[in-house]
Amino acid sequence: MNIAAFPTKGERTRAHIVAAASGLFWRHSFHGVSVDLVAEAADVNKATVYRYFADKRDLALAVIRYNGEMTIAEVFEANFENLAEPQDCLAAIYRMVYGAHLGMQQDTGDLHGCPIVGLALELGQDMPEIREEAQRIFDQVEIYLSRIAAAAAARLNRDANAESQGRTLTQLLHGAFASARVASDPSRILDAGHASLELIGFPEKSILNKEQSGS
Amino acid sequence: MNIAAFPTKGERTRAHIVAAASGLFWRHSFHGVSVDLVAEAADVNKATVYRYFADKRDLALAVIRYNGEMTIAEVFEANFENLAEPQDCLAAIYRMVYGAHLGMQQDTGDLHGCPIVGLALELGQDMPEIREEAQRIFDQVEIYLSRIAAAAAARLNRDANAESQGRTLTQLLHGAFASARVASDPSRILDAGHASLELIGFPEKSILNKEQSGS
Amino acid sequence: MNIAAFPTKGERTRAHIVAAASGLFWRHSFHGVSVDLVAEAADVNKATVYRYFADKRDLALAVIRYNGEMTIAEVFEANFENLAEPQDCLAAIYRMVYGAHLGMQQDTGDLHGCPIVGLALELGQDMPEIREEAQRIFDQVEIYLSRIAAAAAARLNRDANAESQGRTLTQLLHGAFASARVASDPSRILDAGHASLELIGFPEKSILNKEQSGS
Amino acid sequence: MNIAAFPTKGERTRAHIVAAASGLFWRHSFHGVSVDLVAEAADVNKATVYRYFADKRDLALAVIRYNGEMTIAEVFEANFENLAEPQDCLAAIYRMVYGAHLGMQQDTGDLHGCPIVGLALELGQDMPEIREEAQRIFDQVEIYLSRIAAAAAARLNRDANAESQGRTLTQLLHGAFASARVASDPSRILDAGHASLELIGFPEKSILNKEQSGS
DNA sequence: AATGAATGAGGCTTCATTCAT
DNA sequence: CATGAATGAAGCCTCATTCAT
């Protein structure tokens, strides 16, 4: 999050609260985190939280939107420069997710799964907007992954149903997060990455196992 | 749940509470359901709940175990008679999951995802036992799915890494639940089913689309 | 309130809370009293208050009903034995109200007005049930006072509109409470009492100024 | 409120806030209205409210004074031109109060009682200044009504205790407001008006029922 | 085996108020 | 003169839990 992108003080405070809440909800679930704790983590008074969000649910909505924007921008958009080599693009995405999981494990000793799905699972029934927002995000993810599948098929001169593959890739990504969290094992991310690469026709494990680059 | 399997009245009461809590936690999450509500749904006094469970966390543990046993017994064990035709076995599993989702949507207007992953995601950080129990369950699931993969490879005279495929099949199953819930669309289950069948070498969509059988 | 009239422990606790709340609302208004304070005054835990009342408004409703029953029973019903002498009956009512005001002033240094009108004025707009309950109570009061007016006319062989007089007597009673509170002067009660007696044809001040008889 | 009477901008802003607060306190009670709401209704920033009033209590004091001045000026002073016919004077006062209640009922669907008594009842115990201010106002009202009683006695060549009658007329006016609010019925105002006219020796109902004259 | 009653702690939200600009 | 931003305290309500019967 580029803090400087928020011109007014209020906007910065708001963004600060969202970021703090995002981290907490991710780790401890929505209901597992009190507004008190969010305020403390954001280093603002509890009443300030309510200046920017109508209620805790409204905060959850802001958090899931924030998570969506971050994910799209930093995980997908950022790795789409080199779509000419779709396998590298997909590998870069998985490497980034893997790296994030390694960091998580070092920082907190645990893996927290996908923050978007986490909120959507917990609140989907009682807060339909949350589920709908998550759906919008994963629709975009599916589009990105379909484009990778299509590019891969083109590169290999293959005939493939890119849309269907995009969906499967998306579901594998969901599975990567879920199984990594349940097993508390980041290597599950790599497993799903390899399976994904194999699905689009690049079974060589070396693609994903390249050296990592930056944070 | 086979009520008759619990001989004493106490055991029946306990099982009744677990079943009620399981449904509520599934729909509204652990923290989203009060012990009051569980007691009311189970039609017992709140203090009775505490006669059978040390605290709410203990109840969560019983619920996840109950969900695990049910899943293994009714979804996997029950469909393993005809392993001779592994593709039919996998299709039967997915058809069952799909049917359950259709029922859910009719009953409550919404899909609730995998109850085991739901609890594990919500409580994994603050209740490691829950995560570990979930891991045990999905380890079993992975073994079942690996056996299907191995049988399929044998049937097709293929050389395949059944273990690795079992993991991918498990992750696809996670993805099926997650994306069905997020999209609120049961057909995502079928998508994952087809992808799974294709993965083990049976791309014909007709396998999964057969007529359904029984409840 | 006859505490022994409530058989179960719960009913006693409930009645205890209502009585405590009644006194506090009377003195400090509804919004001026916190549920915490009510609980403390009733010597029960706050959560116990919510076991018996859905919310604070529900408590207000119980309080106004309690006030109504008490008023009708102890101020009107109790003084209607000797309706044969309507002027004495009316005088007894006013003497009782006056005595209550004297006690109030000694106990708390202030007069609190009519507890029913107080709640109705404060909450009438936002809680119509409160206003309606108050209306029901004062409809009864008006009937009692009309009967006095009718009996007085009969006693004096006069022709009088007892209903219209009953309304005026009721309004004078309202005025007695209001002006006593605003002036912080119990003698306003006696002023209204004398005016009321004069209205029904008994202008002798001695009627109301008789010796008082116990609480 | 004659806005032009406030020369400086600050005085106008202050008067604007008082008027907004007066309306809100009248309808929803003092504790039932937040400073936020007052600021919003007055269309000024909350901090601006605190520029003109030390705290919320100070605002309540200003409101009750404002209500007192308005009442004395517009209800009593304005109707005292024709004291030569005291019965018409009293009738004009009641007609004005009645008209205000009709308007209230059309505008908000409810009657709010006397705003001065409302505040005094709610805050009398915890803000003695409020009660004292109300007392001062009603002392004036009593003087006005005593003068009417005296003039009426003179007109009818009667011997009457004007002071005592003034007090009763004041109490009847209190009763008019209270019973109109409790019954949510403006006609109670007219009832008290007729009773008041009868008290000063003018029982003909036609006096009050004359045609009304403008706002 | 089961329950009605009670509770301390904590949750969400709003209040009156102040500060810096 | 006015305001956007911030805050500590307090308000209403619910939670998980225990006790006495």
Side-chain angles (χ1 to χ4, degrees), chain B residues 29-72:
Chain B
S29 89
F30 175 77
H31 284 303
V33 172
S34 69
V35 176
D36 268 284
L37 193 58
V38 171
E40 191 186 316
D43 213 34
V44 298
N45 185 277
K46 199 178 7 171
T48 301
V49 174
Y50 282 91
R51 266 189 78 75
Y52 291 98
F53 304 95
D55 52 21
K56 202 188 173 193
R57 297 156 65 98
D58 192 28
L59 180 56
L61 209 54
V63 163
I64 205 168
R65 283 185 184 134
Y66 165 75
N67 287 335
E69 285 166 22
M70 294 283 287
T71 301
I72 296 298

Side-chain angles (χ1 to χ4, degrees), chain C residues 33-35 46-47 50 55-56:
Chain C
V33 172
S34 70
V35 176
K46 204 184 352 176
Y50 283 93
D55 50 25
K56 202 188 173 192

Side-chain angles (χ1 to χ4, degrees), chain A residues 27-28 31 110 112 121-122 124-126 131 135 142 167-168 171 175 179 181-182 184 188 191-192 195, chain B residues 27-29 31 110 112 121 124-126 131 135 142 167-168 171 175 179 181-182 184 188 191-192 195:
Chain A
R27 257 165 284 179
H28 304 283
H31 286 302
D110 214 337
H112 317 122
L121 283 190
E122 183 180 359
Q125 182 84 348
D126 301 314
R131 189 193 57 65
Q135 186 186 2
E142 198 173 301
R167 172 145 306 172
T168 301
Q171 292 184 323
S179 74
R181 153 129 246 204
V182 166
S184 201
R188 305 280 174 132
D191 294 340
Chain B
R27 255 166 286 179
H28 303 285
S29 89
H31 284 303
D110 215 338
H112 316 124
L121 283 191
Q125 182 85 348
D126 303 312
R131 189 192 59 64
Q135 187 186 0
E142 199 173 300
R167 170 144 309 171
T168 301
Q171 291 183 323
S179 74
R181 153 128 244 206
V182 166
S184 201
R188 306 280 174 133
D191 294 339

